């Protein structure tokens, strides 16, 4: 038991130091407004119970995945996908794409944030071997001019519902040493927050969504 706790603390320390170093070298990086709103909201959580990471880019077998926020606690690990869309939002849990309607009849399609977050969770499991039941998915919309027009799961929220939703999970499902180990592993694996990392991720997404690649996947 002592060995397990010690190894978890070592993993956390190494990961935290590397993560801190990466953050110190990210002066030019700018996050979008929606993510900044969520960062501000997450500061309301009790720091003695929750550990928050923001803008985490992790390596995958094919490229990278970018996670907006992760909140760690003994009550679960909350993986948050943030959206700043306004207007009417239509989408179902298993729809591949959702639709945004704006004034004037304009409409836009965007990739389902629920499916995005499923992929994020799979990648976290691959890196940490954390049990899937400890990971909780959240999709949060920050724009007060947004309105859901279809029935959605309870984990799709407006920003003013976020803190209450996280705090409602009040049963311990993750022991403290495993939580520390998971934090350390993700801090260790995450890429430096920088314009270069962001560019690399965008290039990977564009490559993945190219017509040639789409045809290959069909």
């Amino acid at each position: 038991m002592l060995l397990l706790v010690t190894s978890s603390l070592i993993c956390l320390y190494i990961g935290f130091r590397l993560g801190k170093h990466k953050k110190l070298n990210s002066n030019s990086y700018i996050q979008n407004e929606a993510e900044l709103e969520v960062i501000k909201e997450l500061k309301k959580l009790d720091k003695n119970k929750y550990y928050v990471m923001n803008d985490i880019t992790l390596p995958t077998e094919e490229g990278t995945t970018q996670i907006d926020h992760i909140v760690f606690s003994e009550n679960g690990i909350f993986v948050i996908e943030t959206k700043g869309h306004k207007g009417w939002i239509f989408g179902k849990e298993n729809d591949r794409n959702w639709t945004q309607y704006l004034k004037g009849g304009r409409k836009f399609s965007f990739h389902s944030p629920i499916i995005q977050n499923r992929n994020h969770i799979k990648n976290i499991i691959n890196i940490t071997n954390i049990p899937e039941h400890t990971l909780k998915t959240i999709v949060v919309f920050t724009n007060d001019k947004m309105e859901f027009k279809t029935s959605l799961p309870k984990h799709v929220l407006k920003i003013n519902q976020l803190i209450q939703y996280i705090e409602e999970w009040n049963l311990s499902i993750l022991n403290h040493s495993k939580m520390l180990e998971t934090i350390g592993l993700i801090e260790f694996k995450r890429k430096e927050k920088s314009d270069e990392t962001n560019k690399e991720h965008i290039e990977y997404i564009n490559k993945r969504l190219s017509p040639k690649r789409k045809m290959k996947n069909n």
Side-chain angles (χ1 to χ4, degrees):
M1 180 66 180
L2 180 60
L3 181 61
L4 177 62
V5 173
T6 302
S7 63
S8 297
L9 289 172
I10 291 171
C11 189
L12 173 64
Y13 176 77
I14 294 172
F16 179 77
R17 294 302 299 175
L18 285 171
K20 186 176 181 182
H21 174 72
K22 291 171 185 176
K23 291 171 190 173
L24 289 172
N25 287 292
S26 59
N27 295 331
S28 64
Y29 185 77
I30 300 174
Q31 290 171 300
N32 67 46
E33 288 184 15
E35 290 176 20
L36 290 174
E37 285 187 53
V38 173
I39 290 171
K40 182 179 178 181
E41 192 71 8
L42 291 174
K43 288 180 179 178
K44 297 176 183 178
L45 291 169
D46 185 343
K47 291 180 175 61
N48 294 317
K49 295 181 180 179
Y50 301 94
Y51 181 89
V52 178
M53 285 187 205
N54 300 299
D55 189 43
I56 309 100
T57 302
L58 296 172
T60 66
E61 290 182 359
E62 295 184 341
T64 57
T65 189
Q66 203 166 56
I67 303 170
D68 294 334
H69 320 275
I70 307 176
V71 177
F72 299 84
S73 77
E74 293 180 19
N75 302 329
I77 298 171
F78 302 89
V79 183
I80 303 172
E81 176 65 25
T82 297
K83 295 297 178 188
H85 296 64
K86 63 181 179 179
W88 291 353
I89 302 297
F90 292 81
K92 296 180 181 178
E93 183 168 9
N94 293 313
D95 286 350
R96 188 172 185 82
N97 294 297
W98 290 11
T99 304
Q100 172 193 33
Y101 282 86
L102 298 174
K103 287 182 179 179
R106 292 176 297 158
K107 68 176 183 178
F108 303 92
S109 178
F110 62 100
H111 188 50
S112 163
I114 292 178
I115 293 176
Q116 275 185 280
N117 233 21
R118 285 177 190 164
N119 293 332
H120 294 158
I121 285 173
K122 286 179 184 176
N123 195 57
I124 291 172
I125 292 170
N126 288 340
I127 287 174
T128 65
N129 288 319
I130 196 80
E132 186 172 358
H133 76 273
T134 64
L135 292 153
K136 312 299 180 185
T137 182
I138 296 176
V139 174
V140 60
F141 283 79
T142 62
N143 198 306
D144 58 8
K145 295 180 180 178
M146 184 280 305
E147 184 178 350
F148 296 126
K149 286 295 184 178
T150 46
S151 178
L152 289 166
K154 64 179 183 179
H155 62 259
V156 180
L157 313 169
K158 292 186 176 181
I159 192 167
N160 61 359
Q161 301 170 307
L162 178 60
I163 298 301
Q164 181 180 347
Y165 181 81
I166 292 173
E167 291 179 340
E168 282 177 352
W169 295 85
N170 54 16
L171 295 177
S172 179
I173 58 173
L174 191 65
N175 67 58
H176 193 68
S177 61
K178 187 62 177 177
M179 184 187 76
L180 295 180
E181 180 185 348
T182 305
I183 292 170
L185 283 169
I186 293 177
E187 288 281 21
F188 180 76
K189 288 285 188 177
R190 72 187 297 184
K191 296 175 75 69
E192 179 182 334
K193 289 204 291 185
S194 66
D195 292 331
E196 188 61 33
T197 296
N198 199 40
K199 180 181 176 183
E200 179 185 338
H201 179 66
I202 291 170
E203 286 175 352
Y204 164 66
I205 293 298
N206 288 337
K207 179 181 177 182
R208 194 183 71 182
L209 297 179
S210 67
K212 183 177 180 180
R213 186 63 179 269
K214 283 183 178 179
M215 288 176 63
K216 186 177 179 181
N217 287 340
N218 288 338

